[in-house]
Amino acid sequence: MNLDELLNESQKAAVEYNEGASVIVAGAGSGKTRVLTYKIAYLLEQGMMAYNILALTFTNKAAREMKERIARQVGERARYLWMGTFHSIFSRILRIESQSIGFSPNFTIYDSADSKSLLKSIIKEMQLDDKVYKSGAVQSRISNAKNHLVMPAAYNANSANYADDKRHNTPEFGRIYETYCKRCREANAMDFDDLLVYTAFLFKQRPDVLARYQDRFQYILVDEYQDTNTVQHSIVMQLAAKYGRVCVVGDDAQSIYSFRGAEIDNILGF
């Protein structure tokens, strides 16, 4: 693989720097994903094992396309990369480590419709007005809290949250949130946000488990870093803390997931 023929000077410099943390900020159409692809191929050519590389994307399509491109460069080894979306990679880890957080390995993953249905039944049981406590709005607020790593106990312990809920005529939100999380756990189920939240808590509460995955993932790459939220940033930082070999790629002018709690400061302050 001759990088001089494949990349311009800036791209080549980004691919070849692998001593520590790096952030690649570039505009649309400037070849960011191309750099990430060649960087992984370069790491493999330099002797790093595929299973020691973790590459995180925001869509399955992006992961699939990147893996295909890498396979064209390095062949069969691409199969052994840990590459995929945040949710797919960390659900895989949670299946392995589920008992450490009180779940069984065959836990169910609730999609948006499942979550809404559960919230509707909780709101009905509590005899609350479903025109005030709309399941979609409640679901969105729960998701926002989880994406900022604020779980029910912490939410309910903050008197400012209750005052705010009261002002918005939803004083029972904290109780709904608490009941929702309890019901999910009783059903051995996680929603999409839980796949990240429980990973962050697993690594925080079990340093031995974190150490295992830090040793496994000796190089971490993240595409579209401007779209990461608090919990995603936390997981990446936890995993990268030992070796410091992490490369994030993004465009601070292209953040599209602010509605999902994306924090632009994650890339600006990297």
Side-chain angles (χ1 to χ4, degrees):
M1 185 171 70
N2 189 339
L3 294 178
D4 289 317
E5 292 176 3
L6 296 164
L7 305 168
N8 64 35
E9 279 305 307
S10 298
Q11 291 171 333
K12 183 170 174 265
V15 165
E16 291 181 335
Y17 175 76
N18 293 303
E19 297 310 307
S22 61
V23 56
I24 301 167
V25 180
S30 59
K32 295 188 299 294
T33 306
R34 181 180 175 79
V35 167
L36 216 53
T37 301
Y38 281 111
K39 195 174 186 76
I40 293 169
Y42 181 77
L43 287 166
L44 293 170
E45 284 203 344
Q46 296 301 301
M48 183 166 278
M49 303 304 290
Y51 54 75
N52 290 137
I53 297 172
L54 170 65
L56 297 165
T57 64
F58 274 84
T59 66
N60 288 313
K61 182 172 180 276
R64 193 168 56 250
E65 286 175 0
M66 209 183 296
K67 210 165 193 175
E68 285 167 3
R69 282 195 212 176
I70 294 161
R72 284 198 289 271
Q73 296 295 327
V74 301
E76 278 292 291
R77 282 177 294 171
R79 285 176 52 203
Y80 302 101
L81 292 163
W82 279 68
M83 178 181 281
T85 63
F86 278 86
H87 293 88
S88 68
I89 292 292
F90 296 122
S91 64
R92 185 175 163 189
I93 288 173
L94 287 176
R95 296 262 183 224
I96 298 166
E97 309 295 343
S98 57
Q99 286 168 322
S100 297
I101 50 168
F103 283 83
S104 69
N106 64 338
F107 61 80
T108 304
I109 298 173
Y110 282 171
D111 63 15
S112 184
D114 296 325
S115 297
K116 248 185 220 176
S117 176
L118 175 56
L119 284 167
K120 274 181 186 169
S121 62
I122 291 168
I123 289 161
K124 190 175 181 181
E125 280 169 32
M126 289 185 175
Q127 298 183 321
L128 299 169
D129 186 345
D130 59 10
K131 290 182 179 61
V132 175
Y133 292 92
K134 293 178 179 171
S135 58
V138 172
Q139 181 187 41
S140 179
R141 287 187 59 196
I142 287 174
S143 178
N144 187 53
K146 287 182 179 181
N147 286 331
H148 287 90
L149 288 172
V150 179
M151 297 309 281
Y155 186 92
N156 291 325
N158 187 331
S159 56
N161 288 333
Y162 180 71
D164 197 45
D165 290 340
K166 212 169 175 186
R167 197 163 53 250
H168 288 93
N169 201 30
T170 54
E172 297 298 326
F173 172 75
R175 198 154 65 95
I176 296 171
Y177 185 16
E178 187 176 2
T179 306
Y180 172 77
C181 290
K182 189 176 166 222
R183 292 282 176 83
C184 285
R185 189 173 269 281
E186 284 169 355
N188 192 39
M190 296 186 196
D191 63 24
F192 284 133
D193 296 313
D194 288 333
L195 297 174
L196 304 182
V197 168
Y198 280 118
T199 301
F201 285 144
L202 168 70
F203 289 159
K204 189 176 180 184
Q205 291 162 5
R206 290 289 303 271
D208 56 322
V209 174
L210 173 60
R212 223 178 326 121
Y213 287 98
Q214 285 173 333
D215 283 331
R216 161 61 67 93
F217 303 131
Q218 293 178 22
Y219 208 103
I220 301 166
L221 305 101
V222 191
D223 199 11
E224 308 292 3
Y225 205 72
Q226 76 278 355
D227 289 325
T228 55
N229 58 31
T230 299
V231 64
Q232 288 165 328
H233 179 67
S234 169
I235 294 169
V236 171
M237 292 299 102
Q238 284 173 298
L239 285 171
K242 181 171 182 179
Y243 291 101
R245 297 192 202 114
V246 55
C247 172
V248 306
V249 177
D251 177 1
D252 55 346
Q254 268 193 299
S255 181
I256 59 168
Y257 288 122
S258 56
F259 68 95
R260 268 200 229 153
E263 298 277 354
I264 197 71
D265 286 347
N266 289 346
I267 193 164
L268 296 178
F270 187 83

